């Protein structure tokens, strides 16, 4: 791992994924809470004129608001939902036909899940996530295969993306994209060098967008893997230490 090329004297736009970055991955999504001290660090960073701060997550904004202090921009559901301080909340509106297709996908998927088998189906307004961290490997393989088939059957690929991450398969609108969200934030904060921290396949678009903007892309992972990120920190604790150093 290489020391990140940022310091307390830099003007930075700090763009942070949530799960696996600010909070350790947990067996159930509701159990993933930030490491001790992280919320205070984010509060101090937000109050500093040297920084702009945004949390860019696949979670809905309502969930992020439980753990993130008021101040940072909150980008939920991969860019389908935003909470902008002083402006308010805005959300992507699906056309009726697209809403019906997503509802049909969610219903069919729920009907085929084995009872009490460790699967968790999360409906996030304009996206659906299937979590299988607690499921047996054999059950997970069969259910994932069927979920992919259902997505092909019910959701036109021109309109929907199927993304697989850490023990989760998620269907979301094509226009809900972390890369697009990061590009918008960079355009809003042109005087600040963007630094994006993320841990999953859903963060790759954001890494690419930050690289295009001349910023710093940071993969949070114990081991190297193929990625667009140019730097690496090993875990959320290392992210917290980096943020604390910047908050100073």
């Amino acid at each position: 791992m290489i020391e990140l090329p940022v310091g307390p004297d830099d003007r930075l736009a700090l763009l942070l994924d949530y799960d696996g970055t600010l909070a350790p991955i947990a067996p159930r999504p509701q159990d993933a809470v930030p490491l001790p001290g992280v919320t205070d660090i984010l509060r101090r960073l937000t109050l500093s004129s040297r920084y702009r701060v945004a949390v860019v997550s696949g979670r809905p904004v309502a969930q992020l608001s439980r753990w993130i202090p008021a101040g940072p921009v909150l980008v939920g559901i991969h860019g389908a939902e935003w909470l902008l301080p002083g402006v308010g909340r805005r959300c992507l509106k699906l056309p009726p036909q697209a809403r019906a297709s997503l509802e049909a996908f969610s219903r069919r998927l729920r009907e085929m899940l084995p009872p009490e088998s460790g699967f968790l189906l999360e409906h996030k307004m304009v996206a659906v996530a299937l979590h299988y961290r607690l499921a047996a490997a054999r059950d997970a393989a069969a259910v994932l295969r069927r979920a992919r088939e259902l997505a092909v059957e019910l959701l036109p690929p021109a309109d929907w993306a199927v993304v697989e991450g850490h023990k989760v398969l998620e269907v979301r609108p094509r226009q809900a994209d972390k890369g697009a969200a990061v590009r918008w934030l960079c355009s809003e904060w042109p005087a600040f060098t963007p630094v994006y921290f993320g841990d999953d396949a859903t963060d790759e678009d954001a890494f690419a967008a930050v690289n295009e903007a001349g910023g710093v892309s940071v993969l949070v992972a114990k081991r190297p893997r193929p990625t667009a990120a140019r730097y690496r920190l090993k875990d959320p604790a290392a992210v917290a230490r980096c943020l604390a150093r910047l908050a100073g």
Side-chain angles (χ1 to χ4, degrees):
M1 287 181 288
I2 303 172
E3 184 74 16
L4 301 188
V6 297
D9 296 327
D10 296 325
R11 291 168 60 84
L12 304 174
L14 299 169
L15 315 175
L16 301 137
D17 179 36
Y18 182 78
D19 292 275
T21 300
L22 293 176
I25 297 291
R28 299 183 303 168
Q30 61 266 37
D31 296 333
V33 299
L35 290 173
V38 164
T39 55
D40 179 63
I41 293 167
L42 291 177
R43 185 178 294 108
R44 284 187 282 142
L45 289 168
T46 304
L47 291 173
S48 171
S49 61
R50 295 196 306 274
Y51 304 116
R52 296 293 182 266
V53 184
V55 177
V56 185
S57 173
R59 288 180 179 266
V61 160
Q63 290 183 13
L64 294 173
S65 298
R66 297 175 194 167
W67 300 303
I68 303 300
V73 171
L74 299 183
V75 183
I77 318 176
H78 307 282
E81 189 182 20
W82 293 70
L83 183 61
L84 299 162
V87 177
R89 179 177 170 272
R90 69 188 195 198
C91 187
L92 174 68
K93 303 295 184 183
L94 292 179
Q97 184 175 354
R99 286 202 307 271
S101 297
L102 187 66
E103 291 290 343
F105 173 79
S106 179
R107 184 180 64 254
R108 295 270 299 274
L109 191 55
R110 189 178 300 279
E111 290 170 352
M112 60 171 248
L113 292 179
E116 299 181 2
S117 54
F119 293 96
L120 173 63
L121 189 61
E122 184 182 14
H123 202 305
K124 301 186 285 189
M125 297 181 292
V126 298
V128 169
L130 174 64
H131 302 269
Y132 56 94
R133 186 169 299 278
L134 298 176
R138 181 183 300 177
D139 291 339
V143 167
L144 288 172
R145 182 171 62 251
R146 183 59 182 138
R148 296 183 193 108
E149 293 170 353
L150 278 177
V152 171
E153 177 185 343
L154 298 172
L155 302 172
D159 301 325
W160 298 93
V162 180
V163 183
E164 301 192 38
H166 292 317
K167 302 292 184 180
V168 62
L169 179 146
E170 185 161 11
V171 169
R172 55 174 170 79
R174 286 277 176 200
Q175 57 266 57
D177 174 271
K178 285 188 177 183
V182 165
R183 282 189 286 273
W184 187 86
L185 290 166
C186 290
S187 71
E188 288 294 296
W189 298 330
F192 297 80
T193 300
V195 185
Y196 187 92
F197 299 80
D199 75 308
D200 208 349
T202 59
D203 297 301
E204 290 298 326
D205 290 337
F207 292 148
V210 164
N211 292 342
E212 292 167 8
V216 179
S217 49
V218 186
L219 173 68
V220 183
K222 290 183 179 179
R223 300 175 184 83
R225 65 166 173 80
T227 178
R230 293 173 177 167
Y231 299 88
R232 182 170 61 91
L233 294 175
K234 68 177 182 178
D235 54 25
V239 175
R241 289 192 294 272
C242 177
L243 297 177
R245 180 170 64 88
L246 294 174

